[in-house]
Amino acid sequence: MKIITWNTQWCRGLDGQVSVDRIVSQARDMANFDVLCLQEITSGFEAMPGQPGDQPAQLQALLPDHQVFFGAAVDEFDSAGKRQRFGNLIATRLPVVRVEHHPLPWPADPDVPSMPRMCSVVTVQAPGLGAIRVMTTHLAYDSGLQRMAQVQSLRELHREACALAISPPAAGESDSPFRNRDHTPHAILCGDFNFGPGTPEYTKLQEPFRSDENINILFKANDPKGFGLQDAWPLVHGQTPHEPTFRVYDRTYGPEPTTCDFMFVSQSLANRVVRLSVEVDTKASDHQPLLLELN
């Protein structure tokens, strides 16, 4: 299974040109991907730099062999009644089991600009791996308060899914919303987290679960520590510092390159990770894309 994550800056390259086609083409140059996770995808915001169009529709047209799922963190109407959306997108050619879009916390922080954030989840059936929840997100940039609240919510989403895998609901009618579902502890969480390695948010996201985090759920004989999330980079590269993914070429938002885009995997998939690389040459966005491969 090959998965790419990329904050596309609404497909706007460092040349100022918006090109969905260029994003897809360069992602294909990286790998024959099974899943493509993109952040900062937009529709209806033609006044933004580069005048982006309906990017979810454009991506679906460019990826006819993939199903495309757009999770709009921002879904609003302007004064003229025109719909405007901005968020994350997951495209996959793998069989899809379930699609979920989870709004993330947006606590008040009046000292900084902010906007709604979301985690999109598409559960796919991967050959040789089974059901995997592919989760992609883009966390708050200016507010540490909001970012930590969003990290806590991501942890809860994963904990809840693992608890359902361990203790699934009672069987329901086969052809109804209560039908049995394939719940899985296997997850890949990727995106632009707007925190760096070693920060409190980075550490918190990977903190092992306690069996008492929800008194209504029993982990039974299963070790809750085995269901946590961990950064895939050290699984492949050991102590080698993370490759920068932001401000590599464009220093608009700071003087030095930094890492804020990650691939986290559930403990259950840690031994299946065989590759994690950063495409350092592209200038099709102000972020660099990552490629994760599992066997």
Side-chain angles (χ1 to χ4, degrees):
M1 178 178 175
K2 296 178 181 179
I3 176 172
I4 291 173
T5 184
W6 199 351
N7 181 331
T8 68
Q9 192 183 221
W10 60 95
C11 303
R12 183 172 179 248
L14 300 190
D15 58 3
Q17 300 300 308
V18 170
S19 176
V20 176
D21 183 77
R22 177 169 56 184
I23 290 291
V24 171
S25 176
Q26 294 196 11
R28 282 178 167 148
D29 287 344
M30 290 175 63
N32 184 21
F33 53 82
D34 299 294
V35 184
L36 179 64
C37 295
L38 304 177
Q39 301 85 49
E40 294 198 19
I41 296 298
T42 186
S43 174
F45 281 98
E46 281 81 3
M48 292 172 64
Q51 298 180 314
D54 185 350
Q55 295 185 335
Q58 294 170 34
L59 284 158
Q60 182 64 86
L62 290 166
L63 297 165
D65 56 340
H66 287 62
Q67 294 187 76
V68 170
F69 304 98
F70 180 45
V74 174
D75 193 345
E76 300 169 344
F77 293 81
D78 67 10
S79 58
K82 182 180 180 180
R83 192 179 189 185
Q84 297 178 312
R85 297 181 294 162
F86 187 85
N88 313 311
L89 182 143
I90 299 176
T92 181
R93 62 183 180 184
L94 298 175
V96 173
V97 176
R98 185 162 57 255
V99 179
E100 304 161 83
H101 299 292
H102 300 277
L104 296 179
W106 190 16
D109 192 349
D111 295 328
V112 297
S114 64
M115 67 180 203
R117 304 286 176 164
M118 175 176 286
C119 178
S120 295
V121 185
V122 176
T123 302
V124 299
Q125 284 286 352
L129 296 169
I132 297 177
R133 285 175 288 111
V134 177
M135 312 168 68
T136 197
T137 194
H138 182 196
L139 304 189
Y141 180 74
D142 290 294
S143 173
L145 170 71
Q146 293 173 356
R147 197 164 50 246
M148 182 59 85
Q150 290 157 8
V151 164
Q152 295 275 24
S153 181
L154 291 172
R155 281 176 51 82
E156 175 58 20
L157 287 175
H158 179 58
R159 186 212 60 77
E160 181 180 86
C162 290
L164 284 167
I166 296 166
S167 301
E173 296 178 9
S174 61
D175 190 22
S176 83
F178 288 95
R179 64 178 176 267
N180 294 342
R181 289 174 171 83
D182 192 357
H183 297 285
T184 176
H186 307 319
I188 299 167
L189 170 62
C190 65
D192 176 3
F193 294 83
N194 279 317
F195 58 63
T199 59
E201 299 98 321
Y202 174 88
T203 301
K204 183 64 179 180
L205 186 59
Q206 299 177 86
E207 191 175 279
F209 290 115
R210 306 185 314 272
S211 59
D212 63 343
E213 283 200 50
N214 187 329
I215 60 173
N216 296 316
I217 296 295
L218 296 177
F219 280 92
K220 298 182 178 179
N222 298 276
D223 178 5
K225 294 181 180 180
F227 295 96
L229 295 163
Q230 68 179 100
D231 182 4
W233 181 269
L235 295 174
V236 177
H237 301 282
Q239 298 300 312
T240 302
H242 288 71
E243 192 85 41
T245 64
F246 185 46
R247 304 199 303 245
V248 174
Y249 301 107
D250 180 7
R251 305 298 167 81
T252 301
Y253 297 99
E256 299 293 335
T258 188
T259 300
C260 59
D261 304 86
F262 295 93
M263 292 276 198
F264 295 95
V265 298
S266 58
Q267 295 280 350
S268 58
L269 293 176
N271 64 350
R272 309 301 295 268
V273 174
V274 296
R275 179 184 179 189
L276 178 56
S277 60
V278 178
E279 213 304 315
V280 297
D281 294 327
T282 181
K283 298 180 182 179
S285 170
D286 60 349
H287 286 249
Q288 311 306 122
L290 288 75
L291 168 65
L292 175 73
E293 184 174 353
L294 302 99
N295 67 8

